[in-house]
Amino acid sequence: MSFRTSTQYVEDVSPGSGALPPRAWYASCDAMSLSLNGGWRFRLSDTADAEDDSFATPGYDAGGWAEVSVPGHWVLQGHGSPVYTNHLYPFPVDPPRVPTENPTGDHLRLFDLPGDWPADGGTVLRFDGVESCARVWLNGTDLGEFKGSRLPHEFAVGHLLRPGGNVLAVRVHQWSAGSYLEDQDQWWLPGIFRDVTLLHRPAGGVLDFFVHASYDHTAGAGTLRVDSDVAGRVTVPDLGIDVATGEPVTVPVEPWSAETPRLYDGVLATEGERVPLRVGFRTVELSDGLIKVNGRPVLFKGVNRHEWHPERGRALDLATMREDVLLMKRHNINAVRTSHYPPHPAFLGLCDELGLWVIDECDLETHGFTEQGWRDNPVDDDRWTPALLDRAARMVERDKNHPSVVIWSLGNEAGTGRGLTAMAGWIHGRDPSRPLHYEGDPGCRDTDVYSRMYAGHAEVERIGRRLDGGTHKRRQLPLILCEYGHAMGNGPGGLADYQRLFETHERLQGGFVWEWIDHGIAHPELGYAYGGDFGEELHDGNFVCDGLLFPDRRPSPGLTEYKKVIEPVGISGDGTDGTVRVTNKHDFADLSALAFTWSYEVEGEAADSGTLAVPALAPGASADLELPEPPPGAPAGEALWTVRAVLAGDTPWAPKGHVVAWGQIPAAERRTPHVTATARPVAGDGVITLGPGVFDARTGALRAVGDVAVSGLRLDVWRATTDNDDGADWQSDLRHGPLWRKLGLHRMRHRLDAVEMGEDALTVRTRVAAAARETGLSAVYRWTSDGDRLRLTVGTVPEGDWTVPLPRLGIRFGLPAVDGVEWYGGGPGEAYPDTRTASVVGRWRSTVEGLQTPYVRPQENGARIDVRWAELGGLRVEGEPAFWLTARRWTTEQLDAAAHRTDLVPGDTVWVNLDHGQHGIGSQSCGPAPLPRYHLRAEPAEFSFVFSAPATP
Ligand code: IPT
């Protein structure tokens, strides 16, 4: 026996051997099952063949082995390390060969059958997910081997089981031919990462079945037909249905939609078994060039979801899956693309129950072949087609009974080829009731929807206007953005502008933000680790942290912004006519589940509040509703109406009162701060005083306002570049971060030109510029005072040939001690020019710590927008105009230099930025730069702040 033969299957293009044909995934009402999750004995080898298979023989002494948890990844349990690459294969590309260094984990589990395990019937051993290739033995008998990491594999084992002392042995190889088909942008994480279960299969039990539950919106009727391999009866008590399998029945029903996820409980009963059914009636069709469900076009407000947990990787428990769905629902998300593989099957059950449209994507990506112009791509090589068809079948058969699954997807970033066409043909034949998606097929030869990723706004608009050309087939199809809004670090920007396009052009059926959660790995020293933190020889850094949730599932500002952008109720008004316009933006539901409240706020404090009667508007309908009279006796000052749509009652995904949508309507304008320049600058011993201001007489630098010491106040144009500023290195487009650094904006020096004491003002003239560059800015600080308050007017004019926008424009200074921060303006979270939709004008309180947004890789963050005034560290600042407020316990330079949150060490000074402008955020870490209207152009500017140091009581 040569060593090659024993491990040949690892590099074989075939999907495997020995497994049962794929079938629907269900839990039986009455058949027993035994979970084999838990502690397993574990031995790691460096190569696929380092150890023989004697460990699979009953009696083998594994006493010296380690233990791992199943489901789990051994590299997250102290054996070896994870590897992150985006699209590069972390091994030589020589399909289907893999390296000799092939971490191989032998897993051993001893188990007894429960005493009441039936003697009759059969038993199936099911693996819900193993990465990337496994060979299985039970009681010494070789059952076979399989690939297809995120797909189920079952083996018939009844004849091998004993009442006690069963030995299940699983050898898992990190690398296999299958790895070539699994080049998704994520950590490479070998292991048995989903459940292992023993399922009793009673004689006469259910095998596979296909629930066809359609809805005829013209008749209000549903038609149910359950095709079953084993004949039996189908009952749905609530609908009075009791029919034979295979027999259609039509009855009046409430349809299923993501907004109204009506499920009917039923039972499929064969002679030997009963299986619960959860039937949702809905019809998905392509008609008039649109994807319609139950006769209506759907607007996808979606997100791409990888499975992720910061400690357990892709081994997700039910509570985490539920948390994902709840968080999505609470943030107005109505759709999920299971990028880039079928999720744990329980996730789809939650989508059925709580209501999400699902694009179920096959476990297929061959992105690394792009490096060789897609030459030798397995999807265009007939030898691989059986593996591709096996993957398609395992997904469709497993998930076909979920009403939430409305679209199948062939996979991601796999180029084009005959294998994909074969998959499409098979899926269309097996399930003509669902459209097919695949982004990599620009001609849409095999697909039923035109899909793009990261297309800029202009292109999306062109497609919406049907001016994009394309093949004849494509011109008949709607567009979805299967990925857009790259949520890496601070951002994504521009979501509201996309949404406006989606809501304007019917051909645009929405999109899926990239992506749901940062794949940061909890790390004792680094907080959260990303690519490169495990010494990988090839890696893609923090490109793996590009989610709307931080790794611990706390929502990032991007998710708050997305929630607001996609809210299903529009609430608007310009304050001129005492009305508010309410628009129902749902596709199916009226507004009867919502209650509306108003509050009248002066300078952010509610003066009065109440409820607003809103008719149960049909989807798409609007109404203009009278607001009450402003409350008599309300204090003077800037006033706003805040109108909210909240849940009228508890729902399965959020309690009564949960805010679904809101709008603010102006009621009375802001009074800008006035300081009459009555005080005179007075020269003293090395200082100049002006009202409460104390300045250095030589440099003109502000030293104090009243009792509050101030340091380093000066013009500031630099921000710690965001991932979106830096852009992705493959992008040829203008990327601002690198251009800024080239211009030296991160190392600007301040030249003092003059300190001028005037009659009623102290004027300091400077020029701000970087070594080696002619570009710079003149900055003139003009200080005046009325005796109590100190006003600074900054005038700045760019000099030289400025061809790039500025990162920021404002002042920064240090304060010795700050605890609380209070402000009136936008909040509660951060906002930037193109991520500001969710900012609520109000009175907010926080701490310096609370102002920081914990991006996994530190970068510019935390700016509060539209701030009229703020109080911190004993200082009060009023802005004219309103400003952006940022405060940190480290400098921008320290923030810029940090690679992980743990690099940020609080200093003694709190650094405050008061900005007149910020550059937009955009999505250029993978997609387009900020739209030109969000650029902070280098141009002359003037802005003022009024400082005072009210004595603390
Ligand atoms: C696109 C991928 O489909 C996705 O998996 C992810 O890598 C994303 O980009 C970026 O985070 S592919 C890209 C080259 C457009």
Side-chain angles (χ1 to χ4, degrees), residues 84-87 183-186 304 306 337 339-340 361 365 367 370 412-413 439 453-454 482-483 486-488 514-515 543-546 728 730-731 925-927:
Y84 167 57
T85 57
N86 165 14
H87 77 279
D183 191 24
Q184 293 95 343
D185 174 12
Q186 58 180 350
N304 280 281
H306 266 288
R337 170 176 178 233
S339 53
H340 298 303
E361 188 152 278
E365 173 158 342
H367 206 162
T370 187
N412 184 59
E413 293 280 12
E439 185 270 346
M453 48 170 76
Y454 307 103
C482 69
E483 293 176 25
H486 197 248
M488 185 178 178
W514 187 267
E515 66 175 310
F543 203 63
V544 78
C545 291
D546 51 1
W730 70 78
Q731 284 170 327
S925 53
C926 189

Side-chain angles (χ1 to χ4, degrees), residues 675 679-680 688-695 702-710 783-791 875-876 946-950:
V675 175
R680 293 181 69 111
I688 298 170
T689 54
L690 175 63
V694 183
F695 299 83
L702 180 68
R703 284 184 176 174
V705 179
D707 293 337
V708 180
V710 177
W783 298 92
T784 56
S785 173
D786 60 4
D788 293 327
R789 298 183 299 164
L790 186 64
R791 179 188 182 103
L875 201 65
R876 180 179 166 91
V946 175
F947 297 96
S948 52

Side-chain angles (χ1 to χ4, degrees), residues 497-508:
D497 304 279
Y498 280 110
Q499 195 63 24
R500 224 167 287 129
L501 293 171
F502 298 159
E503 291 179 7
T504 306
H505 305 283
E506 69 163 13
R507 189 186 183 196
L508 308 179

Side-chain angles (χ1 to χ4, degrees), residues 431-455:
D431 181 16
S433 78
R434 291 174 173 102
L436 190 68
H437 166 270
Y438 175 61
E439 185 270 346
D441 176 14
C444 300
R445 186 176 53 157
D446 298 325
T447 61
D448 305 307
V449 51
Y450 178 32
S451 177
R452 291 277 293 117
M453 48 170 76
Y454 307 103

